[in-house]
Amino acid sequence: MLYWNKAYECMSREEMRKVQSERLIKTVKLVYDNVPTYRKKMQEKGMLPGDIKSVDDLKNLPFTYKQDLRDTYPYGLFAVPMSEIVRVHASSGTTGKKTVVGYTKNDLDVWSEVIARTFTAAGAVKDSFLQISYGYGLFTGGLGAHYGGEKLGATVIPTSSGNTKLQLSIMQDFGTTHLACTPSYALYLAEEMEELGIKRSDLKLQAGIFGAEPWSESMRQEIQDRLKIKAFDIYGLSEVIGPGVACECDYQSGMHIPEDHFIPEIIDPDTGEVLPEGSEGEIVFTTITKEGLPLIRYRTRDLSSLNYDKCECGRTEVRMNKVAGRTDDMLIIRGVNVFPSQVESVLLSIGETAPHYMLVVDRKDNLDTLEIQVEITPSLFSDEVKKLEDVEKKISKEINSTLGIGAKIKLVEPKSIQRSEGKAKRVIDKRVI
């Protein structure tokens, strides 16, 4: 069994708690001294950094929400001067504003460390060839995986996303052993292989490290059957660090969390109370080694549960189970966070349609699709076809710009979208995940 950092991955619970306590105390002091938002939150609870004596006191600290990042956009939650921030990434927000994350040199080293553990758990070694088919750019997936692969000492092939025929050609010619991409894209690659007549024996592929979107056990089995590889699940959030927050090992019985860097809790999403071990609830993360954007009790809105039993692989790190759903209305489509409120803000800004819409998400040919049905006004309904086409194009352009992904816009007749007396239903998700 391979480990990247056995000392931490197999550390006793008692020793891990000691490490976490020391690092938590330092992190709380860092944010209190340098981040006005945290200082205010703690003062409102009558707390000082000295009140935190160990990890047992974590439950007393205030939560951090995505809204806190929006309210302090772009750099207001950073705990160090911008002169120490060597890179920024960003994820999508509800109104087109990005959620910005900053990294110091040490943060990038931590990120590379946790990704090296991820790849090692998936069987990658120094002699491996890692094809990174996550998107590069502001999205954390590509570059996060890239530098972790280099830390491991493997040969990194930075293909990024798209250009499927080239991806397959490179996979054959360069001898790719490990593939990192979204699970839906992995299935798409399998389909293209079959269409192009590429034999599995033409590839040296051994395993895939898949994340950035929800996927089911049946989808995992299909990937494993068609690509003849082992498919590993990974979990990450840009705000916490990016990919590398949790990953599966060879036993595929939950995703190991590097607890020497991230402390997880499971809370009741309604009351905020910490739930007993084994309960399902909202998973909350506290970073204890980050400098640029340390987060205290960050509300992920993801529903999961934790398993503290020692894994068959020998690792003692807590394992999180596959995310069972969300407590908010966020959708993850092709690795991009999409909120219905983003669509609403676009439609209201254009002002040429009724304020009624429906997002229809599906998975066709193993890739997520998004159709946005927009109800038109009676006056627009009676207009000429060209006017309707112009409105459709305008909406399409603005939606693409705001969401960062393409969507099919379908204008529908007045009053054809079902009304609700309670909370409006804005999403039909046809994906089987």
Side-chain angles (χ1 to χ4, degrees), residues 102-119:
Y103 302 79
T104 64
K105 176 67 171 64
N106 183 67
D107 291 338
L108 293 182
D109 289 342
V110 167
W111 197 6
S112 296
E113 162 73 19
V114 295
I115 290 288
R117 293 187 199 180
T118 295
F119 285 144

Side-chain angles (χ1 to χ4, degrees), residues 227-366:
L227 287 177
K228 303 293 187 289
I229 60 172
K230 195 148 193 172
F232 293 85
D233 198 0
I234 65 168
Y235 175 84
L237 306 91
S238 296
E239 300 91 333
V240 174
I241 204 162
V245 177
C247 67
E248 283 185 325
C249 66
D250 206 43
Y251 288 89
Q252 297 177 320
S253 57
M255 293 175 281
H256 293 274
I257 297 170
E259 293 179 86
D260 49 317
H261 297 290
F262 316 116
I263 304 177
E265 301 171 273
I266 296 292
I267 65 163
D268 182 315
D270 297 321
T271 67
E273 293 297 311
V274 177
L275 295 174
E277 191 175 314
S279 302
E280 182 176 287
E282 181 181 343
I283 191 161
V284 171
F285 283 100
T286 297
T287 67
I288 50 174
T289 52
K290 281 180 69 184
E291 299 170 340
L293 182 68
L295 292 179
I296 304 294
R297 306 192 79 198
Y298 182 69
R299 300 282 298 261
T300 68
R301 303 298 183 188
D302 287 330
L303 296 171
S304 185
S305 57
L306 297 173
N307 180 355
Y308 285 88
D309 294 338
K310 183 177 179 179
C311 183
E312 288 182 81
C313 72
R315 291 177 178 84
T316 53
E317 300 165 312
V318 65
R319 285 167 284 160
M320 67 174 281
N321 291 311
K322 189 180 279 291
V323 172
R326 289 189 59 82
T327 65
D328 61 15
D329 60 354
M330 188 181 85
L331 294 161
I332 301 177
I333 302 171
R334 300 198 291 275
V336 175
N337 298 345
V338 174
F339 293 85
S341 53
Q342 288 174 295
V343 174
E344 190 169 295
S345 66
V346 167
L347 297 179
L348 290 173
S349 68
I350 292 174
E352 296 187 57
T353 61
H356 305 292
Y357 61 93
M358 183 71 73
L359 279 64
V360 182
V361 188
D362 207 345
R363 186 164 280 165
K364 295 176 181 175
D365 297 327
N366 298 309

